[in-house]
Amino acid sequence: MYRTALRNVLAHKGRLLMTALAVMLGTAFVAGTMVFSDTAGQAMKNSFSKSYSDVSVMVTDNAAGGHASAREKSEGAAGRLTDATVAQLAALPGAQSVRPVVSGFTGVADKKGNLIGQAWSARGTNFAPDAAGKDPRYPMAEGRGPKAAGEIALDQETAKAGGYKVGDTVRIAGNAAAQDAKLTGVFTTDDPEVSSGGTLTLMDTASAQKALLTPGQYSSIVLAAKPGVTQEALQTQALAKVPGETQFVVQTGKQLDDRQQEMVASSTTVLKTVLLVFAGISLFVGIFIIANTFTMLIAQRTRELALLRAVGAGRGQVTLSVLAEALVIGVSASVAGLLAGVGIGAGLQGGMTLLNPNFPTGSLVVAPATVVTGLVVGVLVTVLSAVLPAVRAARIPPGAAMASSEQPATQKGLIIRNTIGSLIAAGGIALILAGASAGKDGRTLLEAGTPITLIGIFILLPLLSRPVISVVGPVLGRLYGTAGRLARLNAVRNPRRTAATAAALTIGLTLVSALTVLGTSVNDAVARSVTGSMKADYDVAMAGGAGQLSPEVGKLVAKAPGVAASSPVANVYWDFDGKTRAVQGFDAAALDQLMKVTMDSGSTGALAQGQILVNDEVAKSANLKVGSTLKVAYPDETTGTVTVGGVFQRAETLSPVLMANAEVLKHEPEAYISDILVKGTDGATGALKQSIKDATGNNPVIEVKTKQDMQDEFSRQISFVLNLMYGLLAMSVLVAVLGVINTLAMSVFERKREIGMLRAIGLDRRGIKRMVRLESVVISVFGALIGVGLGCFVAWAANQTIAPDLKGLTTVIPYGQMMIFLALAALVGMIAALWPARRASRLDILTSIKTD
């Protein structure tokens, strides 16, 4: 029987080619994902391993850099890292050297005024020369290090990107007004953040402290241990001088390196998981192709299998024979997929390097786990997919099979299948509806219900195929005559085969349409929220969410020509009656000109009287109304009482609690300023925008955006995510195309006699091609229709779980895009049918008629 199985594989290698390709592609995706993530992870670990190579102990001030709360800063004010701290640590018996570090955000503009690199990876630090005037961390390739205010040095890549050379004037910027500085040197560095595409600007220590922190303050102090002194021993000594409490963190170089390695491993694990999910989708699609292929092969070999049964082969032997065929295909395809996966991993690495030339690279890592996983997954998927066809093969009655080449599904079998499918689909839909009605608490129900519904729909696809495809029958007949009618009949002749072929496309279109509807709905809600609540002409903020704006920017913008009203938007978190709530601060006099606040009771004028405004949800949950009072625990460790001056309708752009900036800054002078809203005397004009830019010193890191700019930026983010998802789903669509080709090719082989008869009675080659192509298009569009419908339903349910967190969210179906998806499905069907249609049209008439 095993020799028979091997012979069958060799005899049907052409018909099994597409199945092997599906397995190979799925396995290659899995292996390629693991090779790429392992390679990237190893390269990043190698790169970041240099970060703390010269660090024995590092003392870090958590409040340095303006990212801590006023409470944290006041608590540590007496113990900041200063020159006195440096002297204390330098006197430690185990310390060989001490290096104080100033670090913070600093952007660099090119000669056109545009930011070099990304805002989140732009840093500035201090140049700390030794007695010879050199800083060993930053060896100069050209010129010298900065010695005084107004001088800087840049890393080589940044200088090259900006077209700068020693002696040029460079514009640098933090979160305040930009300033010009003279470039005195260009240095080399193995800093992984710089080698990964970041920019690094060196300043003299005093200038760095003034620009990035406060005069006399350091963000961290690095200690190097004397020979024979362990990092742990030096850490203990340092803790005696600088207690590691809320303000300070005292860590050894090994602890820092271990933490860095954990972060790298975590990031690569997330990437690997995301990619493996899509690889799993491709393999899931492949299951239908494999099962369909073996089902058709068994139907075509009914007489052969019956003969084996008649000469003494048992059911178990027939089953094992079919599974042995699957095993041979699985092993060979998985080995090929593993080899292809190494190529895919190399391709992904090359693609990342192309997108980001500074992405860490290294030799490909093919771990034993990758080899084992790739082979096991490919073989298991193939063998498990062949189990049901193998069981069906074993049930062929020897006598009945001798009289027919194909056994039709029994009525009982169809009833059982449809009953099971209906129950599973109903259960899944019930879970989805329950999740939708539960709001944000129903996301788990939705996640469970979606795959269950998919499985139920797959089981019901044969039942659905007849009524859905029959709708297009008259249209095909009128448009394409005999070929169209025959295509429709062929598509519904074997509902199981049609369903298995269409299921692959159904999976892809379900995911694609669900993602598209979700993205469109969220984009629409955000756009309406911005349009509906923002009355300001411009929003001023740091590029790419790089951080907060300096308080001085608000003052500069307010004085800019053409500005009628402006307000910094302060963001803090305070405790009201024991519950922490987000608070936004606005200039009380400008709020009505900048934001549309829909009041249910009270008025926005209450802000000027030191009162607060709360949204309707907070008012309802805390039983508040105009005149209610709340106890507040301020971050400066004082307490007080505030009065509710009004209740407003919740808006996504507004925090639950609004206060006047004057009140916020009383208790948190360094509140986080995220934006500055501006209203112009003549509206949004180019002159006003330039005026605002001029007020910031043309800071390349500060963006001035209109409402439309904000909407467009969010839309680009949504589009980027969707395009990324579409790209990752492309593999499953490709596998689905292979399934359509495979099914049609085998169907053509199975219908040789029929096609010969059609040719004999007058249907020409062109008609045969058209019949096969239309059959493919009908099946593909059927699968796409089910997928689009199910995807829209899942997206609607998902929106119900998101709606509590995004007010105004409604399900928006982009009908144009849905029609494009259906058209693309038809195109996929047309392309997939090219080879099978050509093959069918070239069959010899007499040879085909004689086929048994």
Side-chain angles (χ1 to χ4, degrees), residues 190-234:
D190 58 3
D191 187 321
E193 292 188 28
V194 177
S195 60
S196 298
T199 63
L200 183 60
T201 305
L202 300 184
M203 296 169 265
D204 67 280
T205 298
S207 297
Q209 288 176 327
K210 181 179 179 181
L212 307 178
L213 300 174
T214 55
Q217 181 187 356
Y218 299 101
S219 50
S220 62
I221 300 174
V222 175
L223 290 78
K226 290 180 178 179
V229 178
T230 65
Q231 292 185 356
E232 291 74 15
L234 185 56

Side-chain angles (χ1 to χ4, degrees), residues 105-110 112-116 119 171-174 176-179 541-543 693 696-703:
F105 169 77
T106 303
V108 181
D110 61 19
K112 294 181 179 179
N114 299 318
L115 180 68
I116 298 175
R171 174 149 293 194
I172 61 173
Q179 57 182 320
M542 297 289 285
K693 289 290 290 181
T696 68
N698 285 311
N699 189 324
V701 188
I702 296 178
E703 294 181 334

